[in-house]
Amino acid sequence: MQRIAVMTSGGDAPGMNAAIRAVVRKAIYHGIEVIGINRGYNGFIEGDMWPMNLGSVADIIHRGGTILHTARSEEFTTPEGRAKAYKNVKRFGIQGLVVIGGDGSFRGAKIFHDEYGLPVVGVPGTIDNDIYGTDYTIGFDTAVNNVVDAINKIRDTATSHERTFVVEVMGRNSGFIALQAGLAGGAESILLPEVPFDVKEICDKLMRGVKRGKLHSIIIVAEGAASGLEIGSKIKEITGFDTKVTILGHLQRGGIPTATDRLMASLLGAKAVEVLMEGKTNKVVGIRASETVCYDIEEVFNNTKKDLNTEMLELANILSI
Ligand code: ADP
């Protein structure tokens, strides 16, 4: 293997830069050249790619976002779009591809491999942590820390005014961010897409808390479980409490990646290069019990639902009584 390419695709996640850096430096260490593809599959189709060197990834390990930019590409979902991308594979002499992104991006990679035979490896990069087969995805830890930081600030004002706060966080299909940030932030209730909930019960709990002298309450709502605004107005209607709603939105994706995200990204990026060097394809790299692993890309698609940690779920209920 003499030349590989790397791209970031789908939703951006803090720590993607650390992964790009690891791919580039690990490859160059082994005498492999690296082509950076800008704007995900769009840049692949358009030939928006450039040779990277050690200096190309200098001073990026601590920066959020992705220096290669990212995109969602409608055209790559068509055979015509992928044929254009293949022309660039030939033109640039690419012998392997590392795709840093979510399961959608992995699907694109697999289809491209199956059509054109280019070895592909996926590196899980998404703040949602919802990729099957890996304990962590790049960006998740930073997102959780961003939410906890916001909860801390909201808690100050909530205590001062004796108010109830509803905080809506990201997670359309999965409650990983809500659960971990809710537990770490000491939330009273955590609403997750995976677990049915009853607003009446949440309100009963709030009222019991007030009776025992609680000064404030914070309720975390994953966007896939319910709308924060709706939950806020229902709580206000049932309890009569002054209830404020904060939607954290894209704040959660931004900022300096945490040490954990940089570490995971570095390990995963380097592992992806190793996997390509071993002649493997249609693989995803991941972390299980603090060790890097490599598994079949199909596992991500066949087991779309990654289970929440039940111990954390039970504990969240016990600690918020
Ligand atoms: P993520 O990688 O974060 O899950 P998306 O689901 O939006 O993000 O996928 C990113 C890109 O991957 C899409 O815009 C598309 O270009 C490509 N992709 C996703 N699914 C397919 C597919 N079935 N065939 C070809 N390309 C796909």
Coordinates of all heavy atoms in Angstrom, one line a residue, residues 8-101:
T8 N -13.6 13.2 6.2 CA -14.6 13.3 7.2 C -15.9 13.5 6.5 O -16.0 14.2 5.5 CB -14.3 14.4 8.2 OG1 -14.0 15.6 7.5 CG2 -13.1 14.1 9.1
S9 N -17.0 12.8 7.0 CA -18.3 12.8 6.3 C -19.4 12.8 7.3 O -19.3 12.3 8.4 CB -18.3 11.5 5.4 OG -19.6 11.3 4.9
G10 N -20.6 13.3 6.9 CA -21.7 13.3 7.7 C -21.6 14.4 8.8 O -21.0 15.5 8.5
G11 N -22.2 14.2 9.9 CA -22.2 15.3 11.0 C -20.8 15.5 11.5 O -20.0 14.5 11.7
D12 N -20.4 16.7 11.8 CA -19.0 16.9 12.3 C -19.0 16.6 13.8 O -20.1 16.5 14.5 CB -18.6 18.4 12.1 CG -19.5 19.3 12.9 OD1 -20.7 19.3 12.7 OD2 -19.0 20.1 13.8
A13 N -17.8 16.3 14.3 CA -17.7 15.9 15.7 C -16.4 16.4 16.2 O -15.4 16.2 15.5 CB -17.9 14.4 15.9
P14 N -16.3 17.0 17.4 CA -15.0 17.4 18.0 C -14.1 16.2 18.2 O -14.5 15.2 18.7 CB -15.3 18.1 19.3 CG -16.8 17.8 19.5 CD -17.4 17.3 18.3
G15 N -12.9 16.3 17.7 CA -11.9 15.2 17.8 C -11.6 14.6 16.4 O -10.7 13.9 16.2
M16 N -12.5 15.0 15.4 CA -12.2 14.5 14.1 C -10.8 14.9 13.6 O -10.1 14.2 12.9 CB -13.2 15.0 13.1 CG -14.5 14.2 13.1 SD -15.7 14.8 11.9 CE -16.9 13.4 11.8
N17 N -10.4 16.1 14.0 CA -9.0 16.6 13.6 C -7.9 15.7 14.2 O -6.9 15.4 13.5 CB -8.8 18.1 14.1 CG -9.5 19.0 13.1 OD1 -9.6 18.8 11.9 ND2 -10.0 20.1 13.6
A18 N -8.1 15.3 15.4 CA -7.1 14.4 16.0 C -7.0 13.1 15.3 O -6.0 12.5 15.1 CB -7.4 14.2 17.5
A19 N -8.2 12.6 14.8 CA -8.2 11.4 14.0 C -7.5 11.6 12.6 O -6.7 10.7 12.2 CB -9.7 10.9 13.8
I20 N -7.8 12.7 12.0 CA -7.1 13.0 10.7 C -5.6 13.0 10.9 O -4.8 12.4 10.2 CB -7.5 14.3 10.1 CG1 -9.0 14.3 9.8 CG2 -6.7 14.7 8.9 CD1 -9.6 15.7 9.6
R21 N -5.2 13.7 12.0 CA -3.8 13.8 12.3 C -3.1 12.4 12.5 O -2.0 12.2 12.0 CB -3.6 14.7 13.6 CG -2.2 14.8 14.1 CD -2.3 15.7 15.4 NE -1.0 15.8 16.0 CZ -0.6 15.0 17.0 NH1 -1.3 14.0 17.4 NH2 0.6 15.2 17.6
A22 N -3.8 11.6 13.2 CA -3.3 10.2 13.5 C -3.2 9.4 12.2 O -2.2 8.7 12.0 CB -4.2 9.5 14.5
V23 N -4.2 9.5 11.3 CA -4.2 8.8 10.1 C -2.9 9.3 9.3 O -2.1 8.4 8.8 CB -5.5 9.0 9.2 CG1 -5.3 8.5 7.8 CG2 -6.7 8.4 9.9
V24 N -2.8 10.6 9.1 CA -1.7 11.1 8.3 C -0.3 10.7 8.9 O 0.5 10.2 8.1 CB -1.9 12.7 8.2 CG1 -0.6 13.3 7.5 CG2 -3.1 13.0 7.4
R25 N -0.2 10.9 10.2 CA 1.2 10.7 10.7 C 1.5 9.2 10.8 O 2.7 8.8 10.6 CB 1.3 11.4 12.1 CG 1.2 12.9 11.9 CD 1.9 13.7 12.9 NE 2.0 15.1 12.4 CZ 2.2 16.1 13.2 NH1 2.4 15.9 14.5 NH2 2.3 17.3 12.7
K26 N 0.5 8.4 11.1 CA 0.8 6.9 11.2 C 1.1 6.4 9.8 O 2.1 5.6 9.6 CB -0.5 6.3 11.7 CG -0.4 4.8 11.7 CD 0.3 4.1 12.8 CE 0.1 2.6 12.8 NZ 1.0 1.9 13.7
A27 N 0.4 6.9 8.8 CA 0.7 6.4 7.4 C 2.0 6.9 7.0 O 2.8 6.0 6.5 CB -0.4 7.0 6.5
I28 N 2.4 8.1 7.2 CA 3.7 8.6 6.7 C 4.8 7.9 7.5 O 5.8 7.6 6.9 CB 3.8 10.2 6.9 CG1 2.8 10.9 5.9 CG2 5.2 10.7 6.7 CD1 2.7 12.4 6.1
Y29 N 4.6 7.6 8.7 CA 5.6 6.8 9.5 C 5.9 5.5 8.8 O 7.0 5.1 8.8 CB 5.0 6.6 10.9 CG 5.8 5.7 11.8 CD1 6.9 6.2 12.5 CD2 5.6 4.3 11.9 CE1 7.7 5.4 13.3 CE2 6.3 3.5 12.7 CZ 7.4 4.1 13.4 OH 8.2 3.3 14.2
H30 N 4.9 4.9 8.2 CA 5.1 3.6 7.5 C 5.4 3.8 6.0 O 5.3 2.9 5.2 CB 3.9 2.8 7.7 CG 3.7 2.3 9.1 ND1 4.5 1.3 9.7 CD2 2.8 2.6 10.1 CE1 4.1 1.1 10.9 NE2 3.1 1.9 11.2
G31 N 5.7 5.1 5.6 CA 6.1 5.3 4.2 C 4.9 5.3 3.2 O 5.0 5.2 2.0
I32 N 3.7 5.6 3.8 CA 2.5 5.6 2.9 C 2.1 7.1 2.7 O 2.1 7.9 3.7 CB 1.3 4.9 3.6 CG1 1.7 3.4 3.8 CG2 0.0 5.0 2.8 CD1 0.7 2.6 4.6
E33 N 1.8 7.5 1.5 CA 1.3 8.9 1.2 C -0.2 9.0 1.5 O -0.9 8.0 1.4 CB 1.6 9.2 -0.3 CG 3.0 9.3 -0.6 CD 3.3 9.4 -2.1 OE1 2.3 9.5 -2.9 OE2 4.4 9.5 -2.5
V34 N -0.6 10.2 1.9 CA -2.0 10.4 2.2 C -2.5 11.6 1.4 O -2.0 12.7 1.3 CB -2.1 10.8 3.7 CG1 -3.6 10.9 4.1 CG2 -1.5 9.7 4.6
I35 N -3.7 11.3 0.8 CA -4.5 12.4 0.1 C -5.7 12.7 1.0 O -6.4 11.9 1.5 CB -5.0 11.8 -1.2 CG1 -3.9 11.3 -2.1 CG2 -5.9 12.8 -1.9 CD1 -3.0 12.3 -2.8
G36 N -5.8 14.0 1.3 CA -6.9 14.5 2.1 C -8.1 14.9 1.1 O -7.9 15.5 0.1
I37 N -9.3 14.3 1.4 CA -10.4 14.7 0.6 C -11.3 15.7 1.3 O -11.7 15.4 2.5 CB -11.3 13.4 0.3 CG1 -10.4 12.3 -0.3 CG2 -12.5 13.7 -0.5 CD1 -11.1 11.0 -0.5
N38 N -11.5 16.8 0.7 CA -12.3 17.9 1.3 C -13.8 17.6 1.2 O -14.2 17.0 0.2 CB -12.1 19.2 0.7 CG -10.7 19.8 1.1 OD1 -10.1 19.4 2.1 ND2 -10.1 20.6 0.2
R39 N -14.6 18.0 2.1 CA -16.1 18.0 2.1 C -16.7 16.6 1.8 O -17.6 16.4 0.9 CB -16.6 19.0 1.0 CG -16.2 20.4 1.4 CD -16.7 21.4 0.3 NE -16.1 21.1 -0.9 CZ -16.7 20.7 -2.0 NH1 -18.0 20.4 -2.0 NH2 -16.0 20.5 -3.1
G40 N -16.1 15.5 2.4 CA -16.7 14.2 2.4 C -16.8 13.7 0.9 O -16.0 13.9 0.1
Y41 N -17.9 13.0 0.7 CA -18.1 12.4 -0.6 C -18.3 13.4 -1.7 O -18.0 13.1 -2.9 CB -19.3 11.4 -0.6 CG -19.0 10.2 0.2 CD1 -19.8 9.9 1.4 CD2 -18.0 9.3 -0.1 CE1 -19.6 8.7 2.1 CE2 -17.7 8.2 0.7 CZ -18.5 7.9 1.8 OH -18.3 6.8 2.6
N42 N -18.7 14.6 -1.4 CA -18.8 15.7 -2.4 C -17.4 15.9 -3.0 O -17.2 16.0 -4.3 CB -19.3 17.0 -1.9 CG -20.9 16.9 -1.8 OD1 -21.5 16.1 -2.5 ND2 -21.4 17.7 -1.0
G43 N -16.4 16.1 -2.1 CA -15.0 16.3 -2.6 C -14.4 15.1 -3.4 O -13.6 15.3 -4.3
F44 N -14.9 13.9 -3.0 CA -14.5 12.7 -3.6 C -14.9 12.7 -5.1 O -14.2 12.4 -6.0 CB -15.1 11.5 -2.8 CG -14.4 10.2 -3.0 CD1 -13.1 10.1 -3.3 CD2 -15.2 9.0 -2.8 CE1 -12.5 8.8 -3.4 CE2 -14.6 7.8 -2.9 CZ -13.2 7.7 -3.2
I45 N -16.2 13.1 -5.3 CA -16.8 13.2 -6.6 C -16.1 14.3 -7.5 O -15.9 14.1 -8.6 CB -18.3 13.4 -6.5 CG1 -19.0 12.1 -5.9 CG2 -18.9 13.8 -7.8 CD1 -20.4 12.3 -5.6
E46 N -15.9 15.4 -6.8 CA -15.4 16.6 -7.6 C -13.9 16.6 -7.7 O -13.3 17.5 -8.4 CB -15.9 17.8 -6.9 CG -17.4 18.1 -7.0 CD -17.9 19.1 -5.9 OE1 -17.1 19.9 -5.4 OE2 -19.1 19.0 -5.6
G47 N -13.2 15.7 -7.0 CA -11.7 15.7 -7.1 C -11.1 16.8 -6.2 O -10.0 17.3 -6.5
D48 N -11.9 17.2 -5.2 CA -11.4 18.3 -4.3 C -10.5 17.6 -3.2 O -10.9 17.3 -2.1 CB -12.6 19.0 -3.7 CG -12.2 20.2 -2.8 OD1 -11.0 20.5 -2.7 OD2 -13.1 20.7 -2.2
M49 N -9.3 17.3 -3.6 CA -8.4 16.5 -2.8 C -7.0 17.0 -2.9 O -6.6 17.6 -3.9 CB -8.4 15.0 -3.1 CG -9.3 14.7 -4.2 SD -10.3 13.3 -4.5 CE -9.3 11.9 -4.4
W50 N -6.2 16.8 -1.9 CA -4.8 17.3 -1.8 C -3.8 16.4 -1.1 O -4.3 15.8 -0.1 CB -4.8 18.7 -1.3 CG -5.6 18.9 0.0 CD1 -6.9 18.8 0.2 CD2 -5.0 19.1 1.3 NE1 -7.2 18.9 1.6 CE2 -6.1 19.1 2.3 CE3 -3.7 19.3 1.8 CZ2 -5.9 19.4 3.6 CZ3 -3.5 19.5 3.2 CH2 -4.6 19.5 4.1
P51 N -2.6 16.4 -1.5 CA -1.6 15.6 -0.8 C -1.3 16.2 0.6 O -1.0 17.4 0.7 CB -0.4 15.6 -1.7 CG -0.6 16.7 -2.7 CD -2.0 17.1 -2.6
M52 N -1.3 15.4 1.6 CA -1.1 15.9 3.0 C 0.3 15.5 3.4 O 0.8 14.5 3.0 CB -2.1 15.4 4.0 CG -3.5 15.7 3.6 SD -4.8 15.2 4.7 CE -4.7 16.4 6.0
N53 N 0.9 16.3 4.2 CA 2.2 16.0 4.8 C 2.2 16.1 6.3 O 1.1 16.5 6.9 CB 3.4 16.8 4.1 CG 3.1 18.3 4.3 OD1 2.7 18.7 5.3 ND2 3.5 19.0 3.2
L54 N 3.3 15.9 7.0 CA 3.3 16.0 8.4 C 2.9 17.4 8.9 O 2.1 17.5 9.9 CB 4.8 15.7 9.0 CG 5.3 14.3 8.8 CD1 6.8 14.2 9.2 CD2 4.4 13.3 9.5
G55 N 3.2 18.4 8.2 CA 2.9 19.8 8.5 C 1.4 20.1 8.3 O 0.8 21.0 9.0
S56 N 0.8 19.3 7.4 CA -0.7 19.6 7.1 C -1.5 19.4 8.4 O -2.6 19.9 8.4 CB -1.2 18.7 6.1 OG -0.4 18.5 5.0
V57 N -1.1 18.6 9.3 CA -1.9 18.3 10.5 C -1.3 18.9 11.7 O -1.6 18.5 12.9 CB -2.1 16.8 10.6 CG1 -3.1 16.3 9.5 CG2 -0.8 16.0 10.6
A58 N -0.3 19.8 11.5 CA 0.3 20.4 12.7 C -0.7 21.4 13.4 O -1.5 22.0 12.7 CB 1.5 21.2 12.3
D59 N -0.7 21.4 14.7 CA -1.5 22.4 15.4 C -3.0 22.2 15.2 O -3.8 23.2 15.2 CB -1.1 23.8 15.0 CG -1.2 24.8 16.1 OD1 -1.2 24.4 17.3 OD2 -1.3 26.0 15.8
I60 N -3.5 21.0 15.0 CA -4.9 20.8 14.9 C -5.5 19.9 16.0 O -6.7 19.8 16.1 CB -5.3 20.3 13.5 CG1 -4.8 18.8 13.3 CG2 -4.9 21.2 12.4 CD1 -5.4 18.1 12.1
I61 N -4.7 19.3 16.8 CA -5.2 18.2 17.7 C -6.2 18.8 18.7 O -7.1 18.1 19.1 CB -4.0 17.5 18.4 CG1 -4.5 16.2 19.1 CG2 -3.3 18.4 19.5 CD1 -3.4 15.3 19.5
H62 N -6.1 20.1 19.0 CA -6.9 20.7 20.0 C -8.1 21.5 19.4 O -8.9 22.1 20.1 CB -6.1 21.7 20.8 CG -5.5 22.8 20.0 ND1 -4.6 22.5 19.0 CD2 -5.7 24.1 20.0 CE1 -4.3 23.7 18.4 NE2 -4.9 24.6 19.0
R63 N -8.2 21.4 18.0 CA -9.3 22.2 17.4 C -10.5 21.4 17.1 O -10.5 20.3 16.6 CB -8.8 22.8 16.1 CG -7.9 24.0 16.4 CD -7.1 24.5 15.2 NE -7.8 24.7 14.0 CZ -7.3 24.9 12.8 NH1 -6.0 24.8 12.6 NH2 -8.1 25.1 11.8
G64 N -11.7 22.0 17.4 CA -13.0 21.3 17.1 C -13.2 21.3 15.6 O -12.4 21.8 14.8
G65 N -14.3 20.7 15.2 CA -14.7 20.7 13.8 C -13.7 19.8 13.0 O -13.2 18.9 13.6
T66 N -13.6 20.0 11.7 CA -12.7 19.2 10.9 C -12.0 20.0 9.8 O -12.7 20.7 9.1 CB -13.4 18.0 10.2 OG1 -12.7 17.6 9.1 CG2 -14.8 18.3 9.9
I67 N -10.7 20.0 9.7 CA -10.0 20.8 8.7 C -10.3 20.3 7.3 O -10.2 21.1 6.4 CB -8.4 20.8 8.9 CG1 -7.9 19.4 8.8 CG2 -8.0 21.5 10.2 CD1 -6.4 19.3 8.5
L68 N -10.8 19.1 7.2 CA -11.2 18.6 5.8 C -12.6 19.0 5.5 O -13.1 18.7 4.4 CB -11.0 17.1 5.7 CG -9.5 16.6 5.8 CD1 -9.5 15.0 5.8 CD2 -8.7 17.1 4.6
H69 N -13.3 19.6 6.4 CA -14.7 20.0 6.2 C -15.5 18.7 6.0 O -15.0 17.6 5.7 CB -15.0 20.9 5.1 CG -14.2 22.2 5.2 ND1 -14.7 23.3 5.9 CD2 -12.9 22.6 4.9 CE1 -13.8 24.3 5.9 NE2 -12.7 23.8 5.3
T70 N -16.8 18.8 6.1 CA -17.6 17.6 6.0 C -18.9 18.0 5.2 O -19.2 19.2 5.1 CB -17.9 16.9 7.4 OG1 -18.7 15.8 7.1 CG2 -18.7 17.9 8.3
A71 N -19.6 17.0 4.7 CA -20.8 17.3 4.0 C -21.7 16.0 3.9 O -21.3 14.9 4.2 CB -20.4 17.6 2.5
R72 N -22.9 16.2 3.5 CA -23.8 15.1 3.2 C -23.9 15.2 1.6 O -24.2 16.3 1.1 CB -25.2 15.3 3.8 CG -25.0 15.2 5.4 CD -26.2 14.8 6.1 NE -25.9 14.1 7.4 CZ -25.7 14.8 8.5 NH1 -25.9 16.1 8.5 NH2 -25.4 14.2 9.6
S73 N -23.7 14.1 0.9 CA -23.7 14.1 -0.5 C -24.8 13.3 -1.1 O -24.8 12.0 -1.0 CB -22.3 13.6 -1.0 OG -22.3 13.4 -2.4
E74 N -25.8 13.9 -1.7 CA -26.9 13.3 -2.4 C -26.3 12.5 -3.5 O -26.7 11.3 -3.8 CB -27.8 14.4 -2.9 CG -29.3 14.2 -2.7 CD -29.8 13.1 -1.8 OE1 -29.8 13.2 -0.6 OE2 -30.2 12.0 -2.4
E75 N -25.4 13.1 -4.3 CA -24.9 12.5 -5.5 C -24.2 11.2 -5.3 O -24.2 10.3 -6.1 CB -23.9 13.5 -6.2 CG -23.8 13.2 -7.7 CD -22.8 14.3 -8.4 OE1 -22.4 15.2 -7.8 OE2 -22.6 14.0 -9.6
F76 N -23.5 11.0 -4.1 CA -22.8 9.8 -3.9 C -23.7 8.6 -3.7 O -23.3 7.5 -3.8 CB -21.9 10.0 -2.7 CG -20.8 8.9 -2.6 CD1 -19.7 8.9 -3.4 CD2 -20.9 7.9 -1.7 CE1 -18.7 7.9 -3.4 CE2 -19.9 6.9 -1.6 CZ -18.9 6.9 -2.5
T77 N -25.0 8.9 -3.4 CA -25.9 7.8 -3.2 C -26.4 7.3 -4.6 O -27.1 6.3 -4.7 CB -27.2 8.2 -2.4 OG1 -27.8 9.3 -3.1 CG2 -26.8 8.8 -1.0
T78 N -25.9 7.9 -5.7 CA -26.3 7.4 -7.0 C -25.1 6.7 -7.7 O -23.9 7.1 -7.4 CB -26.7 8.6 -8.0 OG1 -25.5 9.4 -8.2 CG2 -27.8 9.4 -7.3
P79 N -25.3 5.7 -8.5 CA -24.2 5.0 -9.2 C -23.4 6.0 -10.0 O -22.1 5.8 -10.1 CB -24.9 3.9 -10.1 CG -26.2 3.8 -9.4 CD -26.6 5.0 -8.8
E80 N -24.0 7.0 -10.6 CA -23.3 7.9 -11.5 C -22.3 8.7 -10.6 O -21.2 9.0 -11.0 CB -24.3 8.9 -12.2 CG -25.3 8.2 -13.1 CD -26.4 7.5 -12.4 OE1 -26.7 7.8 -11.3 OE2 -27.0 6.5 -13.1
G81 N -22.8 9.2 -9.4 CA -21.9 9.9 -8.5 C -20.7 9.1 -8.1 O -19.6 9.6 -8.1
R82 N -20.9 7.8 -7.8 CA -19.8 7.0 -7.4 C -18.9 6.7 -8.5 O -17.7 6.6 -8.3 CB -20.4 5.7 -6.7 CG -21.2 6.0 -5.5 CD -21.5 4.7 -4.7 NE -22.4 3.8 -5.4 CZ -23.7 3.8 -5.3 NH1 -24.3 4.8 -4.5 NH2 -24.4 3.0 -5.9
A83 N -19.4 6.6 -9.8 CA -18.5 6.4 -10.9 C -17.6 7.6 -11.1 O -16.4 7.4 -11.4 CB -19.3 6.2 -12.2
K84 N -18.1 8.8 -10.8 CA -17.2 10.0 -10.9 C -16.1 9.9 -9.8 O -14.9 10.2 -10.0 CB -18.0 11.3 -10.6 CG -18.9 11.7 -11.8 CD -19.5 13.0 -11.5 CE -20.7 13.3 -12.4 NZ -21.5 14.4 -11.9
A85 N -16.5 9.5 -8.6 CA -15.5 9.3 -7.5 C -14.4 8.3 -7.9 O -13.3 8.5 -7.6 CB -16.2 8.9 -6.2
Y86 N -14.9 7.2 -8.6 CA -13.9 6.2 -8.9 C -12.8 6.8 -9.9 O -11.6 6.4 -9.9 CB -14.6 5.0 -9.5 CG -13.6 3.9 -9.8 CD1 -12.9 3.3 -8.7 CD2 -13.3 3.4 -11.1 CE1 -11.9 2.3 -8.9 CE2 -12.3 2.4 -11.3 CZ -11.7 1.9 -10.2 OH -10.7 0.9 -10.4
K87 N -13.3 7.7 -10.8 CA -12.3 8.3 -11.7 C -11.2 9.0 -10.9 O -10.0 9.0 -11.3 CB -13.0 9.3 -12.6 CG -13.8 8.7 -13.7 CD -14.1 9.7 -14.8 CE -14.9 9.1 -15.9 NZ -16.0 9.9 -16.4
N88 N -11.6 9.6 -9.8 CA -10.6 10.3 -8.9 C -9.7 9.3 -8.2 O -8.5 9.6 -7.9 CB -11.3 11.2 -8.0 CG -11.9 12.4 -8.7 OD1 -11.2 13.0 -9.6 ND2 -13.1 12.8 -8.4
V89 N -10.2 8.1 -7.9 CA -9.4 7.1 -7.3 C -8.3 6.7 -8.2 O -7.1 6.6 -7.8 CB -10.3 5.8 -6.9 CG1 -9.4 4.6 -6.6 CG2 -11.3 6.1 -5.8
K90 N -8.6 6.6 -9.5 CA -7.6 6.2 -10.5 C -6.6 7.4 -10.7 O -5.4 7.2 -10.7 CB -8.3 5.9 -11.9 CG -9.2 4.7 -11.9 CD -8.6 3.5 -11.4 CE -8.1 2.6 -12.6 NZ -7.5 1.4 -11.9
R91 N -7.2 8.6 -10.8 CA -6.4 9.8 -11.1 C -5.4 10.0 -10.0 O -4.2 10.4 -10.3 CB -7.4 11.0 -11.2 CG -6.7 12.2 -11.7 CD -7.8 13.3 -12.0 NE -7.4 14.6 -11.5 CZ -8.1 15.5 -10.9 NH1 -9.4 15.2 -10.8 NH2 -7.7 16.6 -10.6
F92 N -5.8 9.8 -8.8 CA -4.9 10.1 -7.6 C -4.1 8.9 -7.2 O -3.4 8.9 -6.2 CB -5.7 10.7 -6.5 CG -6.1 12.2 -6.7 CD1 -7.2 12.5 -7.4 CD2 -5.3 13.2 -6.3 CE1 -7.6 13.8 -7.6 CE2 -5.6 14.5 -6.5 CZ -6.8 14.8 -7.2
G93 N -4.4 7.7 -7.8 CA -3.7 6.5 -7.4 C -4.0 6.0 -6.0 O -3.1 5.6 -5.3
I94 N -5.2 6.2 -5.6 CA -5.6 5.8 -4.2 C -5.8 4.3 -4.0 O -6.5 3.7 -4.8 CB -6.9 6.6 -3.8 CG1 -6.6 8.1 -3.7 CG2 -7.4 6.1 -2.4 CD1 -7.8 9.0 -3.7
Q95 N -5.2 3.7 -3.0 CA -5.3 2.3 -2.8 C -6.1 1.9 -1.6 O -6.3 0.7 -1.3 CB -3.9 1.7 -2.7 CG -3.1 1.9 -4.0 CD -1.6 1.7 -3.9 OE1 -1.0 2.0 -2.8 NE2 -0.9 1.2 -4.9
G96 N -6.5 2.9 -0.8 CA -7.3 2.6 0.4 C -7.9 3.9 0.9 O -7.4 4.9 0.6
L97 N -9.1 3.7 1.6 CA -9.8 4.9 2.0 C -10.2 4.8 3.5 O -10.8 3.8 3.9 CB -11.1 5.1 1.2 CG -12.0 6.2 1.5 CD1 -11.4 7.6 1.4 CD2 -13.3 6.1 0.7
V98 N -9.9 5.9 4.3 CA -10.4 5.9 5.7 C -11.5 7.0 5.7 O -11.3 8.1 5.3 CB -9.2 6.4 6.6 CG1 -9.8 6.5 8.0 CG2 -8.1 5.4 6.6
V99 N -12.7 6.5 6.2 CA -13.8 7.4 6.3 C -14.1 7.7 7.7 O -14.5 6.7 8.5 CB -15.1 6.8 5.6 CG1 -16.3 7.7 5.7 CG2 -14.8 6.6 4.1
I100 N -14.0 8.9 8.2 CA -14.3 9.2 9.6 C -15.7 9.8 9.6 O -16.0 10.9 8.9 CB -13.3 10.3 10.1 CG1 -11.9 9.8 9.9 CG2 -13.6 10.6 11.6 CD1 -10.8 10.8 10.1
G101 N -16.7 9.1 10.2 CA -18.1 9.6 10.1 C -19.0 8.7 10.9 O -18.6 7.8 11.7

